[in-house]
Amino acid sequence: MSQTTPFTGGLYVITYGCQMNEYDSDKMASLLEKTYGLKLVTEPEEADVVLMNTCSVREKAQEKVFSELGRWSKWKAKKPNRIIGVGGCVASQEGKVIRQRAPSVDVIFGPQTLHRLPAMIDEALRVRGDDSIKKKKAVIDISFPEIEKFDNLPEPEVNGVSAMVSIMEGCSKYCTFCVVPYTRGEEVSRPFEDVMHEIEVLASQGVREVNLLGQNVNAYRGEMADGEIADLAVLMHAVRTIDGIDRIRFTTSHPNEMTQSIIDCYGEIPELVSHLHLPIQSGSDKVLAMMKRNHMVLEYKSTIRKVRALRPNLSLSGDFIIGFPGETCDDFKETLALVEELNYDRSFSFIYSERPGTPAAGFPDDEPMEKKKRRLFMLQEVLNKQTLAISEGMIGTIQRVLVERLSRNSFTEVAGRTENNRVVNFEGSPELIGQFVDVEITEGLTNSLRGKLVATPESDTHVAPQYHSL
Ligand code: SAM
Ligand code: F3S
C-alpha cells in the first residue's frame, strides 16, 4: 500500500461487456488494493468504493448502467463517504452526461485512463472535503493517452491457471454500426517485450494458458527492442517458448487481419488451440458492404477453409448482427446458409442496436422489430443445434483438458477446459490442478460436460500450485 488508506470497507466492481472489460476490471482491483488496501467484496453494501465498468456496444447494455446507478445512489445516501466510479465505454462516450443523469457519481474514467484511478479518487476525496468548493463536480478523465495505461498498471497477479493478457487496445476499422473506435480509440499495440514480460511473470506463478486479448487482436503490431514490428504470429511463436505456457488462445479477430502467417500458426504451433472466434456479422455481401466490413463472404470462407485444412477439427465461433438497416429476408437467408455451411460452435448473435454517432444510425431502417426478432430466433435455433451437436459429438472422444479448479458440485471432482472451451467435470485429485490431462467425455449437459480421467501425462514432472481460493 503506497499511502494511508481513507477507506475501511472494501471494493465492489461490476463488469459489463467483453473480455477486455473483464481484464480491465481485474487491473482496477489490483491497482486499488495496492494503493488503498481495498479488498474485493461480493456485496456493494460492504464497499467504500463501488466501480462500474461499462459497455456501450448495444443500447440495452448502456441502459443497464443507469438503472444500476439509480440503485447505488440510494446506498450512497445511507453512507455518503462512499466513492462511486464509472468507467468503460459508456463513461468514454457520455462523459459528464453520466453525472447529470446520476449526480451521486464521483469519478468518471475511460478504458484508457483506468490507471489514473487512484489520483482521481484522491481528487474526489479532496473536493468532497473542501468546504470552499460549493458546487461539487465529478472528477472526469476520459482521454486516450495511448499506451501509458499499461506502463502504470501493477504486475499481473494470478488467480488461476489461465490468464487473459491484453496485447492491443482500440479499433481502427470503423464498422458503420460500432461505437468501439469512438469509445476505446484507434488501434494501439503494446510493445512486444512488455507483453512477453507479463506472460513470463504469469508463467512463473503457475499460469499454463494465456488468452491474448484485443478488440482486433490479430491486428497486433508490437514494436520490438530492435525497432522491428512483431505481428500476432511472431508473438505467438515467442509465447510458445515461455516455460510453462502450453496453451494459447486469441480473441477477438477481424477477418481482414487473418494473414497467411497467422493461418500458418495453426500448422506450426501445437500450443495454439483448435478454436477460432472470427466474427462475420452477416452472410450477405450487400450487408457486409453497408457495414463497411471491407471483405466478402467468399474471402471469409476461404480463410476458414485454409485454417481447417491445417486443423480439420477446428471449432469455429462468430458474432452475428441481425436486422442491420437494409437487411432483407434474402440477405438473412444468406446468413443462415453460411451458418449451415460452416458449422459454428457457441456464437454470439444480437439484433442490430442503433448507436448514436455511428454512420449506420443515419441509415433508413424500415424492417419491423417483430421480423428482426423472428430472424434472430431462427438463427439462434440453428446455432444452438450446431453447438449441441458438437457437444454430443465429443462424447466418447478423449480430450486434452487443462485442470483449473475443484468442481463446484463435488469435493472429489475437479473441473477443467477443453480446447474448444467446454468445462468438463470429472473425478480427480486437487493435485491435478494446473496440469494438462486426458479425459474421456462421457456425458454432455447443457452448460458443461462430464468425463473420466484416462491419462495424466504431466503427473511426474508437475508441482501443483497453491491456490488461495481452494
Ligand atoms: N473485432 C470484432 C470484429 O471483427 O467484428 C468485433 C468486436 S465488437 C466490440 C464485438 C461484437 O459486438 C461485434 O462483433 C458485433 O457483433 C457486436 N456489435 C457491435 N456493435 C453492435 C451494434 N450496434 N448492434 C449489435 N451488435 C453490435
Ligand atoms: Fe467494432 Fe468493427 Fe472494430 S465491430 S470493434 S469497429 S472491427
Side-chain angles (χ1 to χ4, degrees):
M1 224 188 321
S2 62
Q3 61 183 71
T4 35
T5 180
F7 302 114
T8 52
L11 166 72
Y12 179 79
V13 184
I14 186 165
T15 309
Y16 296 114
C18 60
Q19 284 174 314
M20 302 287 292
N21 267 14
E22 282 171 32
Y23 176 87
D24 283 351
S25 292
D26 284 351
K27 293 285 177 194
M28 290 175 208
S30 53
L31 186 61
L32 295 189
E33 175 167 10
K34 281 218 159 63
T35 315
Y36 302 114
L38 281 166
K39 295 263 184 255
L40 273 177
V41 291
T42 50
E43 297 300 325
E45 285 82 354
E46 296 163 15
D48 276 356
V49 178
V50 281
L51 299 178
M52 193 183 291
N53 198 3
T54 62
C55 169
S56 61
V57 161
R58 284 173 295 275
E59 189 183 3
K60 224 177 184 171
Q62 179 153 353
E63 277 316 304
K64 250 195 236 161
V65 170
F66 289 103
S67 56
E68 191 70 17
L69 282 176
R71 263 198 298 279
W72 287 10
S73 302
K74 287 185 197 137
W75 298 326
K76 188 167 174 178
K78 285 188 215 145
K79 197 172 166 189
N81 283 340
R82 171 176 278 156
I83 288 281
I84 296 185
V86 180
C89 291
V90 177
S92 175
Q93 199 171 29
E94 301 291 333
K96 60 179 186 245
V97 173
I98 292 184
R99 170 80 175 197
Q100 285 156 13
R101 284 185 66 177
S104 58
V105 173
D106 304 285
V107 171
I108 298 169
F109 56 101
Q112 313 304 359
T113 49
L114 59 95
H115 58 287
R116 296 180 182 166
L117 251 181
M120 294 173 79
I121 290 176
D122 285 349
E123 176 62 8
L125 291 170
R126 191 193 66 75
V127 169
R128 185 180 287 174
D130 187 340
D131 292 335
S132 68
I133 306 173
K134 290 284 172 268
K135 197 165 178 328
K136 314 269 193 210
K137 287 188 182 148
V139 179
I140 304 178
D141 185 350
I142 49 172
S143 57
F144 297 130
E146 294 236 328
I147 215 70
E148 175 194 302
K149 163 176 155 183
F150 290 106
D151 295 337
N152 290 283
L153 288 174
E155 290 267 297
E157 272 169 45
V158 170
N159 55 7
V161 295
S162 172
M164 298 186 276
V165 176
S166 176
I167 65 166
M168 56 88 67
E169 282 276 336
C171 179
S172 309
K173 301 288 184 285
Y174 293 92
C175 301
T176 54
F177 52 83
C178 185
V179 288
V180 169
Y182 312 99
T183 56
R184 285 192 171 258
E186 297 254 329
E187 285 161 10
V188 183
S189 294
R190 285 177 76 187
F192 175 84
E193 272 77 17
D194 287 11
V195 174
M196 289 295 287
H197 173 71
E198 179 162 340
I199 300 175
E200 279 156 10
V201 172
L202 290 166
S204 71
Q205 296 178 42
V207 164
R208 307 293 314 275
E209 168 185 291
V210 282
N211 190 351
L212 306 173
L213 292 184
Q215 294 297 344
N216 276 315
V217 73
N218 54 348
Y220 177 75
R221 301 286 184 275
E223 193 173 345
M224 303 171 88
D226 60 6
E228 291 284 305
I229 299 295
D231 67 1
L232 181 65
V234 170
L235 180 66
M236 288 196 293
H237 276 283
V239 169
R240 73 169 293 219
T241 65
I242 297 176
D243 238 11
I245 300 297
D246 285 308
R247 199 179 255 182
I248 304 173
R249 302 180 185 278
F250 61 87
T251 194
T252 295
S253 294
H254 191 286
N256 286 354
E257 303 282 356
M258 282 303 287
T259 56
Q260 190 57 47
S261 57
I262 297 177
I263 293 172
D264 289 343
C265 289
Y266 284 91
E268 298 163 350
I269 303 183
E271 291 83 356
L272 175 60
V273 290
S274 290
H275 176 239
L276 171 63
H277 184 75
L278 196 63
I280 182 161
Q281 318 297 353
S282 168
S284 149
D285 282 332
K286 184 194 90 192
V287 175
L288 289 182
M290 293 190 302
M291 289 175 164
K292 201 163 93 49
R293 295 289 290 180
N294 289 327
H295 68 83
M296 299 179 86
V297 175
L298 204 61
E299 291 162 297
Y300 178 88
K301 286 205 266 192
S302 145
T303 300
I304 302 302
R305 203 172 34 247
K306 286 182 201 160
V307 181
R308 280 193 166 144
L310 296 165
R311 294 283 181 95
N313 61 342
L314 182 88
S315 142
L316 172 69
S317 57
D319 295 347
F320 299 91
I321 295 181
I322 297 306
F324 187 77
E327 181 193 79
T328 62
C329 197
D330 284 344
D331 295 319
F332 171 67
K333 281 185 189 153
E334 291 188 62
T335 303
L336 268 190
L338 177 83
V339 169
E340 299 272 14
E341 182 183 336
L342 292 185
N343 193 23
Y344 282 87
D345 193 10
R346 304 215 297 184
S347 297
F348 299 97
S349 50
F350 293 97
I351 291 180
Y352 164 72
S353 169
E354 184 179 305
R355 303 288 53 222
T358 59
F363 295 178
D365 184 5
D366 308 321
E367 215 66 334
M369 186 49 87
E370 266 321 300
K371 256 192 185 170
K372 295 185 181 188
K373 283 187 181 162
R374 268 206 302 279
R375 283 179 198 163
L376 182 69
F377 180 78
M378 283 169 74
L379 174 71
Q380 289 184 338
E381 258 197 340
V382 177
L383 287 170
N384 291 342
K385 246 191 228 150
Q386 293 182 336
T387 302
L388 192 69
I390 290 170
S391 292
E392 282 171 356
M394 290 171 77
I395 296 172
T397 64
I398 307 231
Q399 298 285 326
R400 186 54 56 102
V401 169
L402 173 57
V403 187
E404 291 186 351
R405 55 179 167 81
L406 283 180
S407 161
R408 298 214 167 89
N409 318 320
S410 156
F411 289 123
T412 60
E413 286 189 354
V414 286
R417 276 176 201 272
T418 61
E419 285 202 26
N420 60 349
N421 233 345
R422 298 275 194 300
V423 173
V424 190
N425 290 291
F426 57 97
E427 289 276 335
S429 113
E431 278 176 11
L432 294 175
I433 293 171
Q435 290 189 38
F436 285 93
V437 299
D438 292 333
V439 176
E440 183 184 336
I441 306 303
T442 53
E443 200 183 342
L445 307 172
T446 322
N447 295 314
S448 62
L449 303 170
R450 295 195 55 75
K452 195 172 73 193
L453 185 64
V454 292
T456 56
E458 295 185 331
S459 269
D460 290 344
T461 51
H462 186 82
V463 180
Q466 301 296 307
Y467 297 109
H468 305 299
S469 52
L470 292 184

